Amino acid sequence: MKRDSRLSGMLHVLLHMAEHRGPVTSQTLAKAMGTNPVVIRRVMAGLREQGYVRSEKGHGGGWTLARDLAEITLRDIYDAIGRPSLLAIGNRTESPDCLVEQAVNAALDTAFQDAQALLLARLGDVTLAMLSADFHVRLAARPAAMRTEIDHVH
């Protein structure tokens, strides 16, 4: 089963934006993410509607963060991208006639709900500012001779 990496990808994009001075074009973000600018624009439009980013048209335009990193949680971005499924596992069938499978589903449903609630709570505790701080610690720990433009752009 393919994993849904939209949350990870969007967090990656937002942190790159935080490292840039001024607007970042969809083309630049797409290059950093190895995707098409149309994909970036589509996802960013949803974040713009939620007030997390803004766009500027014309020469020198692009995407900028609309809020401070400390005000945006991972849960906020998860919600803004449409709340993709958090768990890749599920019940074999949703409405089984078999009583054994009903018992299995009941137990798994409870476990899945508990796991999802815990994960969502954790996402709500982590801000983009915390991710940015972690990036800067990692960057500072890298020997200067190994630092490249890629550390800042990708």
Side-chain angles (χ1 to χ4, degrees):
M1 173 178 265
K2 188 172 181 335
R3 292 183 179 180
D4 187 325
S5 61
R6 287 179 290 169
L7 178 59
S8 175
M10 188 46 47
L11 296 171
H12 189 160
V13 165
L14 292 170
L15 289 176
H16 273 294
M17 289 172 58
E19 292 301 312
H20 279 271
R21 289 176 176 80
V24 186
T25 65
S26 298
Q27 182 70 32
T28 299
L29 293 171
K31 185 175 180 182
M33 297 303 298
T35 191
N36 189 297
V38 172
V39 173
I40 296 294
R41 283 191 290 274
R42 186 179 315 125
V43 177
M44 296 299 276
L47 293 180
R48 182 181 52 215
E49 290 172 11
Q50 299 295 318
Y52 299 117
V53 299
R54 60 180 155 262
S55 61
E56 301 172 24
K57 296 182 187 270
H59 182 69
W63 297 98
T64 56
L65 293 169
R67 292 173 55 187
D68 186 90
L69 294 179
E71 298 174 7
I72 306 171
T73 68
L74 277 58
R75 172 70 188 264
D76 293 331
I77 303 306
Y78 167 79
D79 289 340
I81 63 170
R83 299 180 181 144
S85 178
L86 292 172
L87 302 173
I89 58 175
N91 296 323
R92 191 173 71 89
T93 56
E94 290 305 315
S95 299
D97 290 330
C98 175
L99 297 178
V100 170
E101 192 167 2
Q102 288 175 17
V104 168
N105 285 5
L108 290 178
D109 286 346
T110 299
F112 295 156
Q113 290 168 8
D114 291 349
Q116 184 163 316
L118 182 63
L119 182 53
L120 290 174
R122 179 65 180 133
L123 292 177
D125 290 341
V126 180
T127 66
L128 293 184
M130 295 163 85
L131 297 184
S132 179
D134 182 43
F135 160 72
H136 285 278
V137 167
R138 292 170 188 272
L139 181 62
R142 180 173 280 189
M146 292 181 62
R147 292 184 199 164
T148 65
E149 181 67 19
I150 200 76
D151 289 324
H152 295 286
V153 177
H154 186 249

